[in-house]
Each structure stands twice: as structure tokens, then as C-alpha cells.
Amino acid sequence: QGLRPPLPRRSQRLVSPLGGCAPARMSGERGVEFATLLGGALVWAPEAKATPSGSPGIARAALSLCNDKAESTAVGVYTVPHYTSATYGRAFGPLMLPDVLLFCRGLDAALSRQAEGHRLVLTTPRGNSEYRANAAVLLGAYLVIRHEWTPRQVGAALVREASMRFCRTWSTEIAEQGVLTVRDCWEGLAMAKSLSFLTTEMVQNDEKMKVTCAGYEHQVHRYDSSWIIPGALMVGADP
């Protein structure tokens, strides 16, 4: 008598690639929500201090997956070619295309090595909404490109992250809310996938991923240009 009742376990939804949701239960820290993906093989646990209870698994800081297949350590962070970080203002993302593909390839390889019945738990630093937004874009990219999820299905799994916003590049206004959302990024990636600008092979094969990243980086760093429609429409700066 006089003791608080135990906290209820947080209800979770197991989201399938077909958009259906089956109820699932996972224990977690108070105020932390988990999304169980791909039949339980993958768990999105942003800002969690520990892995959810249940089947065995390993926890990874989400953006660290960008490093698994990278040949440079300067990955998984927001950059603008030809400019120093001091000029970015409050901008923090989204990340560049090579980061997207490196993350997707790293995640796909990690899941392929995973023992049956185990799961990979992706976490983000507590209180770091910028990291969380960037990681959510990349996780959505993987689900869209590799598993053919729609942005709507991704949004049903990553509800809180879908509406997160990115500041304008160079912005210094503290009160700025931003316009571009995480969901907008998923929509763009889905369009690129539907038009075969991005393909499943790019996240399944190291060589295809490296060739795509190298081509993008060559154009951006040498010519300050990028394809909008590959082979048809290119945009460039400082012509």
C-alpha cells in the first residue's frame, strides 16, 4: 500500500512492407518509443539508453553505419562542398547522397550478417534532435530503396520523425521553423527509386555503391554540379 503501480509496457506496432500493422509489445524507458521493423530484425529506438528487452541484439548509433563501408572518416555528418562549417549557420541536414548510400549499404550488410532471431537496434543521442532527423531520413531511405516501402508506410513507422524540419542552409535565424521535412526527403527518395535514379543494387553491392558515390562526388567537388535528371538535366553553380 502506498507504492506506485508498475509502469505499463509501451505498446508497439510491427510494421510490414505492405503497410499492415500487427500489435507487438516491447519494454522500454519511460517516454521512449520503439519501432519494430522488417519482422523484428531491425528496431528503431531513438534516444534510448539501452536496447529494448526481448530477443538478443546489438545496439548501434544509427549514423555510425555510414562508416562501415566508407573509405574516409568524413561521413555521416552534414557538409556543404567548398564551404567550411562556420558558414552553415544553423543548417544541419539532410546529409549528402554518398552518406545515404553508405548508410543503406552498411545497414544492409549488417542485417545480412545477423544471426536468425537476433535484431539490430538503431539509436540516436539523447536530446539531439538534429542527429535524429538525419538518421530518420537515412533509415527511411533504406526502407524505400531496399525494401520498396512507400513514404506513407515509413511515416506510419517513424511517426514523430516524419514531421521534423530542416533549417535553410546559411540560416542564422533562431526562430526559423524550416520548410523541408523528413517526410519530404522520403518522398524525393521514393521518386528517385521509381525513376531508377537510385536502385536496389546500389545498396546491395559494394562496387555499385562506390561507383555511384564516386561519380556524384567528382561532379560536386570538381564542377559544383549535380544531375537532377541523370543524362538529361544538370544544375551547377559557378559555371
Side-chain angles (χ1 to χ4, degrees):
Q1 187 176 0
L3 297 178
R4 290 184 179 180
L7 291 172
R9 290 186 173 186
R10 299 193 66 82
S11 176
Q12 276 307 115
R13 293 191 299 174
L14 181 63
V15 184
S16 77
L18 299 178
C21 295
R25 292 276 180 179
M26 295 177 63
S27 61
E29 303 166 63
R30 188 173 185 178
V32 175
E33 296 182 356
F34 303 122
T36 308
L37 312 168
L38 305 180
L42 181 62
V43 177
W44 170 245
E47 304 192 40
K49 289 183 178 178
T51 60
S53 62
S55 57
I58 183 172
R60 291 281 304 269
L63 295 183
S64 72
L65 286 162
C66 295
N67 294 286
D68 288 6
K69 297 290 182 177
E71 297 178 353
S72 166
T73 57
V75 295
V77 294
Y78 179 68
T79 59
V80 179
H82 312 300
Y83 292 89
T84 63
S85 58
T87 65
Y88 300 168
R90 295 181 58 243
F92 60 88
L95 306 185
M96 295 175 66
L97 179 62
D99 295 306
V100 174
L101 294 179
L102 284 166
F103 173 90
C104 292
R105 181 70 195 108
L107 177 54
D108 198 59
L111 290 174
S112 68
R113 296 191 301 266
Q114 190 163 267
E116 186 175 354
H118 286 61
R119 56 188 177 169
L120 177 62
V121 181
L122 301 185
T123 66
T124 68
R126 176 154 293 201
N128 191 333
S129 60
E130 297 177 358
Y131 187 111
R132 183 171 178 172
N134 280 324
V137 170
L138 301 193
L139 176 56
Y142 176 73
L143 296 172
V144 167
I145 299 170
R146 176 66 175 85
H147 294 280
E148 299 187 350
W149 284 34
T150 66
R152 180 174 174 271
Q153 290 164 350
V154 179
L158 279 62
V159 178
R160 291 192 177 185
E161 292 79 15
S163 59
M164 286 182 163
R165 295 178 180 271
F166 294 95
C167 299
R168 292 178 295 112
T169 305
W170 327 124
S171 174
T172 58
E173 300 176 18
I174 297 178
E176 183 190 344
Q177 296 298 313
V179 175
L180 182 71
T181 67
V182 169
R183 185 188 297 275
D184 292 332
C185 297
W186 297 335
E187 294 282 358
L189 289 160
M191 178 179 289
K193 176 66 162 57
S194 69
L195 296 173
S196 298
F197 300 166
L198 296 175
T199 66
T200 304
E201 290 74 18
M202 291 177 185
V203 302
Q204 289 181 300
N205 182 281
D206 286 349
E207 289 307 313
K208 288 185 179 295
M209 181 269 296
K210 289 178 181 178
V211 168
T212 303
C213 291
Y216 175 88
E217 290 173 338
H218 176 73
Q219 288 182 188
V220 168
H221 289 283
R222 184 162 185 176
Y223 302 108
D224 220 356
S225 63
S226 182
W227 288 109
I228 300 299
I229 302 175
L233 178 62
M234 176 182 283
V235 63
D238 304 321

